[in-house]
Amino acid sequence: EWANDHNLPPLQRWDSSFYKQAGIPRDIRGLSNLRFLLVMDDHGITEIPAEIAKLPLLQGLCISSNKITAIPTQIYNCASLERLDLEDNCITRVEDGIHALKSVHAIDLSGNRLNYITPDIARMPSLAKLDIRNQKTEIDMMLADNTPLSNESLTALASLIRRIEVNY
């Protein structure tokens, strides 16, 4: 509310460490120039608003060390997105449709609770780096005999490992 009351100028970068006291404007028009959204450290965030996909210039989304449990599939429609950093959250699944992120070249999902990764991830044309290390699960999802990943997901990840930098 404070941010709206004080008419913050259109933002190109919102970094929670600098705007902690100001808050974030709720009016989407005040965010239309936003290119990078950085929310680091635990701010108690449990979900990514699907409306973020409506930001026409958003290139980088970094929400780390929070409590996010899912990636809204609406984010897959964010045409300008180039980098997705959601490390150290509580995300369990990467759903079908992620291949629509045609400009994303790096995804960091390390330190989550992944037990499902869609085979669609292997169809991302610009993906050059995927980090899925240090999952907070009881087993190593890539190497354990009782992995929760489907054969299709394992095959897709194996093909990625041969083409791009994958940290697991």
Side-chain angles (χ1 to χ4, degrees):
E1 291 177 15
W2 184 94
N4 289 336
D5 292 343
H6 290 84
N7 288 327
L8 285 180
L11 301 173
Q12 289 190 0
R13 175 183 169 120
W14 187 76
D15 184 335
S16 64
S17 60
F18 294 113
Y19 293 100
K20 193 180 241 183
Q21 300 302 315
I24 187 165
R26 300 289 183 219
D27 181 356
I28 196 75
R29 290 173 301 199
L31 297 173
S32 63
N33 291 325
L34 189 68
R35 294 181 188 277
F36 303 96
L37 179 60
L38 309 170
V39 182
M40 302 168 81
D41 301 322
D42 189 356
H43 291 279
I45 296 172
T46 58
E47 64 182 41
I48 301 170
E51 292 79 13
I52 284 180
K54 296 178 183 176
L55 299 173
L57 303 177
L58 188 67
Q59 295 173 323
L61 178 60
C62 175
I63 304 176
S64 62
S65 302
N66 275 275
K67 296 170 179 59
I68 295 168
T69 58
I71 304 169
T73 55
Q74 293 88 340
I75 296 293
Y76 300 165
N77 298 320
C78 196
S80 58
L81 197 63
E82 296 177 8
R83 184 167 184 96
L84 183 61
D85 293 335
L86 299 172
E87 69 270 12
D88 297 321
N89 279 286
C90 300
I91 297 167
T92 58
R93 299 176 62 85
V94 177
E95 299 292 349
D96 295 346
I98 196 167
H99 68 281
L101 289 171
K102 298 191 183 312
S103 299
V104 169
H105 59 82
I107 297 176
D108 187 346
L109 293 170
S110 60
N112 276 281
R113 301 179 190 278
L114 291 175
N115 60 34
Y116 176 77
I117 299 174
T118 176
D120 278 355
I121 202 162
R123 296 175 41 208
M124 295 181 71
S126 297
L127 189 62
K129 184 176 181 181
L130 174 64
D131 193 339
I132 53 174
R133 289 177 290 162
N134 303 322
Q135 295 301 307
K136 299 174 214 161
T137 56
E138 295 175 10
I139 63 167
D140 184 325
M141 69 174 182
M142 293 291 286
L143 302 176
D145 290 336
N146 58 341
T147 181
L149 295 178
S150 68
N151 286 336
E152 294 82 11
S153 294
L154 287 170
T155 300
L157 288 170
S159 74
L160 277 176
I161 290 168
R162 288 190 293 272
R163 290 189 297 129
I164 69 170
E165 180 183 343
V166 178
N167 297 313
Y168 61 93

